[in-house]
Amino acid sequence: MIIGCEAGEILDGRFRTEPGSNAVNRFVLSLPKKLADMDESELFGSGPLDESHDAPLLGLGFSLRLVRSLARNVGGDLRFYNQALIVSLPAVNEGRTGLMDEER
């Protein structure tokens, strides 16, 4: 998201855990001013490109699609809603972390 920021711009990010039987960690990040008027297809790079897009932003769509894919692999998601990006990830995964200890 830093690619879309203007000099001195500050983004608002908030993290919270929503408890329950399917606890969810949710991170909400406001969009930079430069990206605020884009729709989801433009933001994620799946819409048509035109001359109004700055070249440095072209990698942003790829990065967002990658984060969305990684989130979905663990049962989460990345959404665009109300001028913000929202990353949701399960808080627990039946006690499995997907990490294994290796002795060397």
Side-chain angles (χ1 to χ4, degrees):
M1 297 310 310
I2 293 171
I3 316 173
C5 289
E6 296 175 359
E9 186 172 2
I10 297 173
L11 300 180
D12 181 28
R14 297 173 187 215
F15 179 83
R16 71 173 186 226
T17 299
E18 297 174 359
S21 60
N22 294 320
V24 174
N25 291 321
R26 202 169 307 279
F27 179 70
V28 179
L29 181 66
S30 62
L31 291 179
K33 292 175 193 172
K34 190 186 280 188
L35 306 178
D37 293 329
M38 296 176 83
D39 65 27
E40 186 171 9
S41 65
E42 290 176 305
L43 193 60
F44 282 85
S46 55
L49 294 176
D50 61 33
E51 296 160 7
S52 67
H53 290 85
D54 293 334
L57 297 178
L58 294 178
L60 179 61
F62 172 79
S63 298
L64 291 174
R65 287 191 309 273
L66 178 61
V67 171
R68 179 182 270 176
S69 177
L70 292 171
R72 287 180 176 171
N73 284 342
V74 296
D77 200 10
L78 171 64
R79 300 245 175 218
F80 171 67
Y81 178 74
N82 200 19
Q83 300 301 314
L85 287 173
I86 303 168
V87 179
S88 301
L89 298 169
V92 293
N93 187 8
E94 298 174 6
R96 295 181 305 229
T97 62
L99 303 175
M100 298 175 58
D101 292 328
E102 289 186 30
E103 291 185 30
R104 295 179 184 217

Coordinates of all heavy atoms in Angstrom, one line a residue:
M1 N 0.8 -1.2 0.0 CA 0.0 0.0 0.0 C 0.9 1.3 0.0 O 0.4 2.3 -0.4 CB -0.9 0.0 1.2 CG -1.9 -1.1 1.3 SD -2.9 -1.4 -0.2 CE -3.6 0.1 -0.6
I2 N 2.1 1.1 0.4 CA 3.0 2.3 0.5 C 3.2 2.9 -0.9 O 3.3 4.1 -1.0 CB 4.3 1.9 1.1 CG1 4.1 1.5 2.6 CG2 5.4 3.0 1.0 CD1 5.3 0.9 3.3
I3 N 3.1 2.1 -2.0 CA 3.3 2.6 -3.3 C 2.3 3.7 -3.6 O 2.6 4.6 -4.4 CB 3.1 1.5 -4.4 CG1 3.8 0.2 -4.0 CG2 3.6 1.9 -5.7 CD1 3.5 -0.9 -4.9
G4 N 1.1 3.6 -3.1 CA 0.0 4.5 -3.4 C 0.0 5.7 -2.5 O -0.9 6.6 -2.6
C5 N 0.9 5.8 -1.5 CA 0.9 6.9 -0.6 C 1.6 8.2 -1.2 O 2.6 8.1 -1.9 CB 1.6 6.6 0.7 SG 0.7 5.4 1.7
E6 N 1.1 9.3 -0.8 CA 1.8 10.6 -1.1 C 2.7 10.9 0.0 O 2.6 10.3 1.1 CB 0.7 11.7 -1.3 CG -0.2 11.4 -2.4 CD -1.4 12.5 -2.5 OE1 -1.4 13.4 -1.6 OE2 -2.2 12.4 -3.4
A7 N 3.7 11.8 -0.2 CA 4.7 12.1 0.8 C 4.0 12.6 2.0 O 3.1 13.5 2.0 CB 5.6 13.2 0.2
G8 N 4.3 12.1 3.2 CA 3.8 12.5 4.5 C 2.4 11.9 4.8 O 1.8 12.2 5.9
E9 N 1.8 11.1 3.9 CA 0.5 10.6 4.1 C 0.5 9.5 5.2 O 1.5 8.7 5.3 CB -0.1 10.0 2.9 CG -1.5 9.5 3.0 CD -2.1 9.1 1.7 OE1 -1.4 9.1 0.6 OE2 -3.3 8.7 1.7
I10 N -0.5 9.5 6.1 CA -0.6 8.5 7.2 C -1.8 7.6 6.9 O -2.9 8.1 6.7 CB -0.7 9.2 8.5 CG1 0.6 10.0 8.8 CG2 -0.9 8.1 9.6 CD1 0.5 10.8 10.0
L11 N -1.6 6.3 7.0 CA -2.7 5.3 6.8 C -3.2 4.9 8.2 O -2.4 4.8 9.1 CB -2.2 4.1 6.0 CG -1.7 4.4 4.6 CD1 -1.3 3.1 4.0 CD2 -2.8 5.1 3.8
D12 N -4.5 4.6 8.3 CA -5.1 4.1 9.5 C -5.2 2.6 9.4 O -5.9 2.1 8.6 CB -6.4 4.8 9.7 CG -7.1 4.4 11.0 OD1 -6.4 4.1 12.0 OD2 -8.4 4.4 11.0
G13 N -4.6 1.9 10.3 CA -4.7 0.5 10.4 C -5.1 0.0 11.8 O -4.7 0.6 12.8
R14 N -6.1 -0.9 11.8 CA -6.6 -1.4 13.1 C -6.6 -2.9 13.0 O -7.1 -3.5 12.1 CB -8.0 -0.9 13.3 CG -8.0 0.6 13.4 CD -9.3 1.2 13.5 NE -9.2 2.7 13.4 CZ -9.9 3.5 14.1 NH1 -10.9 3.1 14.8 NH2 -9.7 4.8 13.9
F15 N -6.2 -3.5 14.1 CA -6.2 -5.0 14.3 C -7.1 -5.3 15.5 O -7.1 -4.7 16.5 CB -4.8 -5.4 14.6 CG -4.7 -6.9 14.8 CD1 -4.6 -7.8 13.7 CD2 -4.7 -7.5 16.0 CE1 -4.5 -9.1 13.8 CE2 -4.6 -8.8 16.2 CZ -4.5 -9.7 15.1
R16 N -8.0 -6.3 15.3 CA -8.8 -6.8 16.4 C -9.1 -8.3 16.2 O -9.1 -8.8 15.1 CB -10.1 -6.0 16.5 CG -11.1 -6.3 15.4 CD -12.4 -5.6 15.7 NE -13.4 -5.9 14.8 CZ -14.1 -5.1 14.1 NH1 -14.1 -3.8 14.4 NH2 -15.0 -5.5 13.2
T17 N -9.3 -9.0 17.3 CA -9.7 -10.4 17.3 C -11.2 -10.4 17.6 O -11.6 -9.9 18.6 CB -8.9 -11.2 18.3 OG1 -7.5 -11.1 17.9 CG2 -9.3 -12.6 18.3
E18 N -11.9 -11.1 16.8 CA -13.4 -11.3 17.1 C -13.5 -12.7 17.6 O -13.4 -13.7 16.9 CB -14.2 -11.1 15.8 CG -14.0 -9.7 15.2 CD -14.7 -9.5 13.8 OE1 -15.2 -10.5 13.3 OE2 -14.6 -8.4 13.3
P19 N -13.9 -12.8 19.0 CA -14.0 -14.1 19.6 C -15.2 -14.8 19.2 O -16.1 -14.3 18.6 CB -14.0 -13.7 21.1 CG -14.5 -12.3 21.1 CD -14.1 -11.6 19.9
G20 N -15.2 -16.1 19.5 CA -16.4 -16.9 19.2 C -15.9 -18.3 18.8 O -14.7 -18.6 18.9
S21 N -16.8 -19.2 18.4 CA -16.4 -20.5 18.1 C -15.5 -20.6 16.9 O -14.7 -21.5 16.8 CB -17.7 -21.4 17.8 OG -18.4 -20.9 16.8
N22 N -15.6 -19.6 16.0 CA -14.7 -19.5 14.9 C -14.0 -18.1 15.0 O -14.3 -17.2 14.2 CB -15.5 -19.5 13.5 CG -16.0 -20.9 13.3 OD1 -15.4 -21.9 13.6 ND2 -17.3 -21.0 12.8
A23 N -13.1 -18.0 16.0 CA -12.5 -16.7 16.2 C -11.7 -16.2 15.0 O -11.1 -17.0 14.3 CB -11.5 -16.8 17.4
V24 N -11.8 -14.9 14.7 CA -11.2 -14.3 13.5 C -10.3 -13.1 13.9 O -10.7 -12.3 14.7 CB -12.2 -13.9 12.5 CG1 -11.6 -13.1 11.4 CG2 -13.1 -15.0 12.1
N25 N -9.1 -13.1 13.4 CA -8.3 -11.9 13.5 C -8.5 -11.1 12.2 O -8.5 -11.6 11.1 CB -6.8 -12.3 13.5 CG -6.4 -13.0 14.7 OD1 -6.8 -12.6 15.8 ND2 -5.5 -14.0 14.6
R26 N -8.8 -9.8 12.5 CA -9.2 -8.9 11.3 C -8.3 -7.7 11.4 O -8.1 -7.0 12.4 CB -10.6 -8.5 11.5 CG -11.3 -8.1 10.2 CD -12.8 -7.9 10.3 NE -13.5 -9.0 10.7 CZ -13.9 -10.1 10.0 NH1 -13.5 -10.2 8.8 NH2 -14.6 -11.1 10.6
F27 N -7.7 -7.3 10.2 CA -6.9 -6.1 10.1 C -7.5 -5.3 9.0 O -7.8 -5.7 7.9 CB -5.5 -6.5 9.7 CG -4.6 -5.3 9.5 CD1 -4.2 -4.5 10.6 CD2 -4.2 -4.9 8.2 CE1 -3.4 -3.4 10.4 CE2 -3.3 -3.8 8.1 CZ -2.9 -3.0 9.2
V28 N -7.9 -4.0 9.4 CA -8.5 -3.1 8.5 C -7.5 -1.9 8.2 O -7.0 -1.3 9.2 CB -9.8 -2.5 9.1 CG1 -10.4 -1.5 8.1 CG2 -10.8 -3.6 9.4
L29 N -7.2 -1.6 6.9 CA -6.3 -0.6 6.6 C -7.0 0.4 5.6 O -7.5 -0.1 4.6 CB -5.1 -1.2 5.9 CG -4.0 -0.3 5.4 CD1 -3.3 0.4 6.7 CD2 -2.9 -1.0 4.6
S30 N -6.9 1.7 5.9 CA -7.5 2.7 5.0 C -6.7 2.7 3.7 O -5.5 2.4 3.8 CB -7.5 4.0 5.7 OG -6.2 4.5 6.0
L31 N -7.3 3.1 2.7 CA -6.6 3.2 1.4 C -5.9 4.6 1.3 O -6.4 5.6 1.8 CB -7.5 3.1 0.2 CG -8.2 1.8 0.0 CD1 -9.1 1.8 -1.2 CD2 -7.1 0.7 -0.3
P32 N -4.7 4.6 0.7 CA -4.1 5.9 0.4 C -5.0 6.8 -0.5 O -5.8 6.3 -1.3 CB -2.8 5.5 -0.3 CG -2.6 4.1 -0.1 CD -3.9 3.5 0.2
K33 N -4.8 8.1 -0.4 CA -5.7 9.0 -1.2 C -5.6 8.7 -2.7 O -6.6 8.8 -3.4 CB -5.2 10.5 -0.9 CG -5.4 11.0 0.4 CD -4.8 12.4 0.6 CE -4.8 12.7 2.1 NZ -4.1 14.0 2.3
K34 N -4.4 8.4 -3.2 CA -4.3 8.1 -4.6 C -5.1 6.9 -5.0 O -5.5 6.8 -6.2 CB -2.8 7.8 -4.9 CG -2.4 7.7 -6.3 CD -1.0 7.3 -6.5 CE 0.0 8.4 -6.3 NZ 1.4 8.1 -6.7
L35 N -5.4 6.0 -4.1 CA -6.2 4.8 -4.5 C -7.6 4.8 -4.1 O -8.4 3.9 -4.4 CB -5.5 3.6 -3.8 CG -4.0 3.4 -4.1 CD1 -3.5 2.1 -3.4 CD2 -3.8 3.2 -5.6
A36 N -8.0 5.8 -3.3 CA -9.3 5.9 -2.7 C -10.5 5.8 -3.7 O -11.6 5.3 -3.4 CB -9.5 7.1 -1.8
D37 N -10.3 6.4 -4.9 CA -11.4 6.4 -5.9 C -11.4 5.2 -6.8 O -12.2 5.1 -7.7 CB -11.3 7.7 -6.7 CG -11.6 8.9 -5.9 OD1 -12.4 8.8 -4.9 OD2 -11.0 10.0 -6.2
M38 N -10.5 4.2 -6.6 CA -10.4 3.1 -7.5 C -11.5 2.1 -7.0 O -11.8 2.0 -5.8 CB -9.0 2.4 -7.4 CG -7.9 3.3 -7.9 SD -6.3 2.6 -7.8 CE -6.3 1.5 -9.2
D39 N -12.0 1.3 -8.0 CA -12.9 0.2 -7.6 C -12.1 -1.1 -7.4 O -10.9 -1.1 -7.6 CB -14.1 0.0 -8.6 CG -13.6 -0.4 -10.0 OD1 -12.5 -1.1 -10.1 OD2 -14.3 -0.2 -10.9
E40 N -12.7 -2.1 -6.9 CA -12.0 -3.3 -6.5 C -11.3 -3.9 -7.7 O -10.1 -4.4 -7.6 CB -13.0 -4.4 -5.9 CG -12.3 -5.6 -5.4 CD -13.2 -6.5 -4.6 OE1 -14.4 -6.3 -4.6 OE2 -12.6 -7.4 -4.0
S41 N -11.9 -4.0 -8.9 CA -11.2 -4.6 -10.0 C -9.9 -3.8 -10.4 O -8.9 -4.4 -10.8 CB -12.1 -4.7 -11.2 OG -12.5 -3.4 -11.7
E42 N -10.0 -2.5 -10.3 CA -8.8 -1.7 -10.6 C -7.7 -1.9 -9.5 O -6.5 -2.0 -9.8 CB -9.1 -0.2 -10.6 CG -10.0 0.3 -11.8 CD -10.3 1.7 -11.7 OE1 -10.9 2.1 -10.6 OE2 -10.0 2.4 -12.6
L43 N -8.2 -1.9 -8.3 CA -7.2 -2.1 -7.1 C -6.5 -3.4 -7.2 O -5.3 -3.5 -6.9 CB -8.0 -1.9 -5.8 CG -7.2 -1.7 -4.6 CD1 -6.3 -0.5 -4.6 CD2 -8.1 -1.6 -3.4
F44 N -7.2 -4.5 -7.5 CA -6.6 -5.8 -7.5 C -6.0 -6.1 -8.9 O -5.6 -7.2 -9.1 CB -7.7 -6.9 -7.1 CG -7.9 -6.9 -5.7 CD1 -8.8 -6.0 -5.1 CD2 -7.2 -7.8 -4.9 CE1 -9.0 -6.1 -3.7 CE2 -7.4 -7.8 -3.5 CZ -8.3 -7.0 -2.9
G45 N -6.1 -5.2 -9.8 CA -5.4 -5.4 -11.1 C -6.1 -6.3 -12.0 O -5.5 -6.8 -13.0
S46 N -7.4 -6.5 -11.8 CA -8.1 -7.4 -12.8 C -9.0 -6.6 -13.8 O -9.6 -7.2 -14.6 CB -9.0 -8.3 -12.0 OG -9.9 -7.6 -11.1
G47 N -9.0 -5.3 -13.7 CA -9.7 -4.5 -14.6 C -8.8 -3.9 -15.7 O -7.6 -4.2 -15.7
P48 N -9.4 -3.2 -16.7 CA -8.6 -2.7 -17.8 C -7.7 -1.6 -17.3 O -8.1 -0.8 -16.4 CB -9.7 -2.1 -18.7 CG -10.9 -1.9 -17.9 CD -10.8 -2.9 -16.8
L49 N -6.5 -1.5 -17.9 CA -5.6 -0.5 -17.5 C -5.8 0.7 -18.5 O -6.0 0.5 -19.7 CB -4.1 -1.0 -17.6 CG -3.8 -2.1 -16.6 CD1 -2.4 -2.6 -16.9 CD2 -3.8 -1.6 -15.2
D50 N -5.6 1.9 -18.0 CA -5.7 3.1 -18.9 C -4.6 4.0 -18.5 O -3.8 3.7 -17.6 CB -7.1 3.7 -18.9 CG -7.4 4.2 -17.5 OD1 -6.5 4.7 -16.7 OD2 -8.6 4.3 -17.2
E51 N -4.5 5.2 -19.2 CA -3.4 6.1 -18.9 C -3.4 6.7 -17.6 O -2.4 7.3 -17.1 CB -3.4 7.1 -20.0 CG -3.2 6.6 -21.4 CD -3.7 7.5 -22.5 OE1 -4.1 8.6 -22.2 OE2 -3.6 7.0 -23.7
S52 N -4.5 6.6 -16.8 CA -4.6 7.3 -15.5 C -3.9 6.5 -14.4 O -3.7 7.1 -13.4 CB -6.1 7.5 -15.1 OG -6.7 6.2 -14.9
H53 N -3.5 5.3 -14.7 CA -2.8 4.5 -13.7 C -1.3 4.8 -13.8 O -0.7 4.8 -14.8 CB -3.0 3.0 -13.9 CG -4.3 2.6 -13.6 ND1 -5.4 2.7 -14.5 CD2 -4.9 2.1 -12.5 CE1 -6.5 2.2 -14.0 NE2 -6.2 1.8 -12.8
D54 N -0.7 5.1 -12.6 CA 0.8 5.4 -12.6 C 1.5 4.0 -12.7 O 1.1 3.0 -12.1 CB 1.1 6.0 -11.2 CG 0.6 7.4 -11.1 OD1 0.4 8.1 -12.2 OD2 0.4 7.9 -10.0
A55 N 2.5 4.0 -13.4 CA 3.3 2.7 -13.6 C 3.7 2.0 -12.3 O 3.6 0.8 -12.3 CB 4.5 3.0 -14.5
P56 N 4.1 2.7 -11.3 CA 4.6 2.0 -10.1 C 3.4 1.3 -9.4 O 3.7 0.4 -8.6 CB 5.1 3.2 -9.1 CG 5.3 4.3 -10.0 CD 4.4 4.2 -11.2
L57 N 2.2 1.6 -9.7 CA 1.1 0.9 -9.0 C 0.7 -0.4 -9.7 O 0.0 -1.2 -9.2 CB -0.2 1.8 -9.0 CG -0.1 3.1 -8.3 CD1 -1.3 3.9 -8.4 CD2 0.3 2.9 -6.8
L58 N 1.3 -0.7 -10.8 CA 1.0 -1.9 -11.5 C 1.3 -3.2 -10.7 O 0.6 -4.1 -10.8 CB 1.7 -2.0 -12.9 CG 1.3 -0.9 -13.9 CD1 2.1 -1.1 -15.2 CD2 -0.2 -1.0 -14.2
G59 N 2.3 -3.1 -9.9 CA 2.7 -4.3 -9.0 C 1.8 -4.4 -7.8 O 1.7 -5.5 -7.2
L60 N 1.0 -3.4 -7.5 CA 0.1 -3.5 -6.3 C -1.0 -4.5 -6.5 O -1.2 -5.3 -5.6 CB -0.5 -2.1 -6.1 CG -1.5 -2.0 -4.9 CD1 -0.7 -2.3 -3.6 CD2 -2.1 -0.6 -4.8
G61 N -1.6 -4.6 -7.7 CA -2.6 -5.6 -8.0 C -2.1 -7.0 -7.8 O -2.7 -7.8 -7.2
F62 N -0.9 -7.2 -8.3 CA -0.3 -8.6 -8.1 C -0.1 -8.9 -6.6 O -0.4 -9.9 -6.1 CB 1.1 -8.6 -8.8 CG 1.9 -9.9 -8.5 CD1 1.5 -11.1 -9.1 CD2 2.9 -9.9 -7.6 CE1 2.2 -12.2 -8.8 CE2 3.6 -11.0 -7.3 CZ 3.3 -12.2 -7.9
S63 N 0.5 -7.9 -5.9 CA 0.7 -8.1 -4.4 C -0.6 -8.4 -3.7 O -0.6 -9.2 -2.8 CB 1.4 -6.8 -3.8 OG 2.6 -6.6 -4.5
L64 N -1.6 -7.6 -4.0 CA -2.9 -7.8 -3.3 C -3.5 -9.2 -3.7 O -4.1 -9.8 -2.8 CB -3.9 -6.7 -3.7 CG -3.5 -5.3 -3.1 CD1 -4.5 -4.3 -3.7 CD2 -3.5 -5.3 -1.6
R65 N -3.4 -9.6 -4.9 CA -3.9 -10.9 -5.3 C -3.1 -12.0 -4.6 O -3.7 -13.0 -4.2 CB -3.8 -11.1 -6.8 CG -4.9 -10.3 -7.5 CD -5.0 -10.7 -9.0 NE -3.8 -10.7 -9.7 CZ -3.2 -9.7 -10.3 NH1 -3.8 -8.5 -10.3 NH2 -2.1 -9.8 -11.0
L66 N -1.8 -11.8 -4.4 CA -1.0 -12.8 -3.7 C -1.4 -12.9 -2.2 O -1.6 -14.0 -1.7 CB 0.5 -12.4 -3.8 CG 1.5 -13.3 -3.0 CD1 1.5 -14.7 -3.6 CD2 2.9 -12.7 -3.1
V67 N -1.6 -11.7 -1.6 CA -2.0 -11.7 -0.2 C -3.4 -12.4 0.0 O -3.6 -13.2 0.9 CB -2.1 -10.3 0.4 CG1 -2.7 -10.3 1.8 CG2 -0.6 -9.7 0.5
R68 N -4.3 -12.1 -1.0 CA -5.6 -12.7 -1.0 C -5.5 -14.2 -1.1 O -6.2 -15.0 -0.4 CB -6.5 -12.2 -2.1 CG -7.9 -12.8 -2.1 CD -8.7 -12.3 -3.3 NE -9.4 -11.1 -2.8 CZ -10.2 -10.4 -3.6 NH1 -10.3 -10.6 -4.9 NH2 -10.9 -9.3 -3.1
S69 N -4.7 -14.7 -2.0 CA -4.5 -16.1 -2.2 C -3.9 -16.8 -0.9 O -4.4 -17.9 -0.5 CB -3.6 -16.4 -3.4 OG -3.3 -17.7 -3.5
L70 N -2.9 -16.2 -0.3 CA -2.3 -16.7 0.9 C -3.3 -16.8 2.0 O -3.4 -17.7 2.8 CB -1.1 -15.9 1.3 CG 0.1 -16.0 0.4 CD1 1.2 -15.0 0.7 CD2 0.7 -17.4 0.4
A71 N -4.1 -15.7 2.2 CA -5.1 -15.7 3.2 C -6.1 -16.8 3.0 O -6.5 -17.5 3.9 CB -5.8 -14.3 3.3
R72 N -6.6 -17.0 1.8 CA -7.6 -18.0 1.5 C -7.0 -19.4 1.7 O -7.7 -20.3 2.1 CB -8.0 -17.9 0.0 CG -9.0 -16.7 -0.1 CD -9.5 -16.6 -1.6 NE -10.4 -15.5 -1.6 CZ -10.9 -15.0 -2.8 NH1 -10.5 -15.5 -3.9 NH2 -11.8 -14.0 -2.8
N73 N -5.7 -19.6 1.6 CA -5.1 -20.9 1.8 C -5.2 -21.3 3.3 O -5.1 -22.5 3.6 CB -3.6 -20.9 1.4 CG -3.4 -21.0 -0.1 OD1 -4.4 -21.4 -0.8 ND2 -2.3 -20.7 -0.6
V74 N -5.3 -20.4 4.2 CA -5.4 -20.7 5.6 C -6.9 -20.4 6.1 O -7.1 -20.4 7.3 CB -4.4 -19.9 6.5 CG1 -3.0 -20.3 6.1 CG2 -4.6 -18.4 6.4
G75 N -7.8 -20.3 5.2 CA -9.2 -20.1 5.6 C -9.6 -18.7 5.8 O -10.7 -18.4 6.4
G76 N -8.8 -17.7 5.3 CA -9.2 -16.3 5.5 C -9.5 -15.6 4.2 O -9.8 -16.3 3.2
D77 N -9.4 -14.3 4.1 CA -9.7 -13.6 2.9 C -9.2 -12.2 3.0 O -8.8 -11.7 4.1 CB -11.2 -13.5 2.7 CG -11.6 -13.2 1.3 OD1 -10.7 -13.3 0.4 OD2 -12.8 -13.0 1.0
L78 N -9.1 -11.5 1.8 CA -8.7 -10.1 1.7 C -9.8 -9.5 0.9 O -10.2 -9.9 -0.2 CB -7.4 -9.9 1.0 CG -7.0 -8.5 0.6 CD1 -6.8 -7.6 1.9 CD2 -5.8 -8.5 -0.2
R79 N -10.5 -8.5 1.5 CA -11.6 -7.8 0.8 C -11.4 -6.3 0.8 O -10.7 -5.7 1.6 CB -12.9 -8.0 1.6 CG -13.3 -9.5 1.8 CD -14.5 -9.7 1.1 NE -14.8 -11.2 1.2 CZ -15.3 -11.8 0.2 NH1 -15.6 -11.3 -0.9 NH2 -15.5 -13.1 0.3
F80 N -12.1 -5.7 -0.2 CA -12.1 -4.2 -0.3 C -13.5 -3.8 0.0 O -14.5 -4.3 -0.5 CB -11.8 -3.9 -1.8 CG -12.0 -2.5 -2.2 CD1 -11.1 -1.5 -1.6 CD2 -13.0 -2.1 -3.0 CE1 -11.3 -0.2 -1.9 CE2 -13.1 -0.7 -3.4 CZ -12.3 0.2 -2.8
Y81 N -13.6 -2.9 1.1 CA -14.9 -2.5 1.5 C -14.8 -1.1 2.1 O -13.9 -0.9 2.9 CB -15.5 -3.5 2.5 CG -16.8 -3.1 3.1 CD1 -18.0 -3.2 2.3 CD2 -16.9 -2.5 4.4 CE1 -19.2 -2.8 2.8 CE2 -18.1 -2.1 4.9 CZ -19.3 -2.3 4.1 OH -20.5 -1.9 4.6
N82 N -15.7 -0.2 1.7 CA -15.8 1.1 2.3 C -14.5 1.8 2.4 O -14.1 2.3 3.4 CB -16.4 1.0 3.7 CG -17.0 2.3 4.2 OD1 -17.3 3.2 3.4 ND2 -17.2 2.4 5.5
Q83 N -13.8 1.9 1.2 CA -12.5 2.6 1.1 C -11.4 2.0 2.0 O -10.5 2.8 2.5 CB -12.7 4.1 1.3 CG -13.6 4.7 0.3 CD -13.2 4.6 -1.1 OE1 -12.1 4.8 -1.4 NE2 -14.1 4.2 -2.0
A84 N -11.5 0.7 2.3 CA -10.4 0.1 3.1 C -10.2 -1.3 2.6 O -11.1 -1.9 2.0 CB -10.9 0.1 4.6
L85 N -9.0 -1.8 3.0 CA -8.7 -3.3 2.7 C -8.9 -4.0 4.1 O -8.5 -3.5 5.1 CB -7.3 -3.4 2.2 CG -7.1 -3.0 0.8 CD1 -5.6 -3.1 0.5 CD2 -7.8 -3.9 -0.2
I86 N -9.5 -5.1 4.0 CA -9.8 -5.9 5.2 C -9.2 -7.3 5.1 O -9.6 -8.0 4.2 CB -11.3 -6.0 5.5 CG1 -11.9 -4.6 5.7 CG2 -11.5 -6.8 6.8 CD1 -13.4 -4.5 5.7
V87 N -8.2 -7.7 5.9 CA -7.6 -9.0 5.9 C -8.2 -9.7 7.1 O -8.2 -9.3 8.2 CB -6.1 -9.0 6.0 CG1 -5.5 -10.4 6.0 CG2 -5.5 -8.1 4.9
S88 N -8.8 -10.9 6.8 CA -9.4 -11.7 7.9 C -8.7 -13.1 7.8 O -8.6 -13.7 6.8 CB -10.9 -12.0 7.6 OG -11.6 -10.8 7.6
L89 N -8.3 -13.5 9.0 CA -7.6 -14.8 9.2 C -8.1 -15.5 10.4 O -8.4 -14.9 11.4 CB -6.1 -14.6 9.4 CG -5.3 -13.9 8.2 CD1 -3.9 -13.5 8.6 CD2 -5.3 -14.8 7.0
P90 N -8.3 -16.8 10.3 CA -8.7 -17.6 11.5 C -7.8 -17.4 12.7 O -6.5 -17.4 12.4 CB -8.8 -19.0 11.1 CG -8.2 -19.1 9.7 CD -8.0 -17.7 9.2
A91 N -8.3 -17.2 13.9 CA -7.4 -17.0 15.0 C -6.8 -18.3 15.5 O -5.7 -18.3 16.0 CB -8.2 -16.4 16.2
V92 N -7.5 -19.4 15.2 CA -7.0 -20.7 15.6 C -7.3 -21.7 14.5 O -8.3 -21.5 13.7 CB -7.5 -21.3 16.9 CG1 -7.0 -20.4 18.1 CG2 -9.0 -21.3 16.9
N93 N -6.5 -22.7 14.3 CA -6.8 -23.7 13.3 C -6.7 -25.1 13.9 O -5.8 -25.8 13.7 CB -5.8 -23.6 12.2 CG -6.1 -24.5 11.0 OD1 -7.1 -25.1 10.9 ND2 -5.1 -24.5 10.1
E94 N -7.7 -25.4 14.8 CA -7.8 -26.6 15.5 C -6.4 -27.0 16.2 O -6.0 -28.2 16.2 CB -8.2 -27.7 14.6 CG -9.6 -27.5 14.0 CD -10.0 -28.5 12.9 OE1 -9.2 -29.5 12.7 OE2 -11.0 -28.3 12.3
G95 N -5.7 -26.0 16.7 CA -4.5 -26.3 17.4 C -3.3 -26.5 16.5 O -2.2 -26.7 17.0
R96 N -3.5 -26.5 15.2 CA -2.4 -26.7 14.3 C -1.9 -25.4 13.8 O -2.6 -24.5 13.4 CB -2.8 -27.6 13.1 CG -3.3 -29.0 13.5 CD -3.7 -29.7 12.2 NE -4.7 -28.9 11.5 CZ -5.8 -29.4 11.1 NH1 -6.1 -30.7 11.3 NH2 -6.7 -28.7 10.5
T97 N -0.6 -25.3 13.8 CA 0.0 -24.0 13.3 C 0.6 -24.2 11.9 O 0.9 -23.2 11.2 CB 1.2 -23.6 14.2 OG1 2.2 -24.6 14.1 CG2 0.7 -23.3 15.6
G98 N 0.7 -25.4 11.4 CA 1.3 -25.6 10.1 C 2.8 -25.6 10.1 O 3.5 -25.7 9.1
L99 N 3.4 -25.3 11.3 CA 4.8 -25.3 11.4 C 5.3 -26.6 12.1 O 4.6 -27.1 13.0 CB 5.2 -24.1 12.3 CG 4.8 -22.7 11.8 CD1 5.2 -21.6 12.8 CD2 5.4 -22.4 10.5
M100 N 6.4 -27.0 11.7 CA 7.0 -28.2 12.3 C 8.3 -27.9 12.8 O 9.1 -27.2 12.2 CB 7.1 -29.3 11.2 CG 5.7 -29.7 10.6 SD 5.9 -30.9 9.3 CE 6.7 -32.3 10.1
D101 N 8.6 -28.5 14.0 CA 10.0 -28.3 14.6 C 10.9 -29.3 13.9 O 10.6 -30.5 13.7 CB 9.9 -28.6 16.1 CG 9.2 -27.6 16.9 OD1 9.2 -26.4 16.4 OD2 8.6 -27.9 17.9
E102 N 12.1 -28.8 13.6 CA 13.1 -29.7 13.0 C 14.3 -29.7 13.8 O 14.7 -28.6 14.3 CB 13.4 -29.3 11.6 CG 12.4 -29.5 10.5 CD 12.9 -29.1 9.2 OE1 14.1 -29.3 8.9 OE2 12.1 -28.7 8.3
E103 N 14.8 -30.9 14.1 CA 16.1 -31.0 14.8 C 17.2 -31.0 13.8 O 17.1 -31.8 12.9 CB 16.1 -32.2 15.8 CG 15.1 -32.0 16.9 CD 15.3 -33.2 17.9 OE1 16.4 -33.7 18.0 OE2 14.2 -33.5 18.5
R104 N 18.2 -30.3 14.0 CA 19.3 -30.3 13.0 C 20.6 -30.9 13.7 O 20.9 -30.7 14.8 CB 19.6 -28.9 12.5 CG 18.5 -28.4 11.7 CD 18.8 -27.0 11.2 NE 17.6 -26.5 10.6 CZ 17.6 -25.8 9.5 NH1 18.7 -25.4 9.0 NH2 16.5 -25.4 8.9

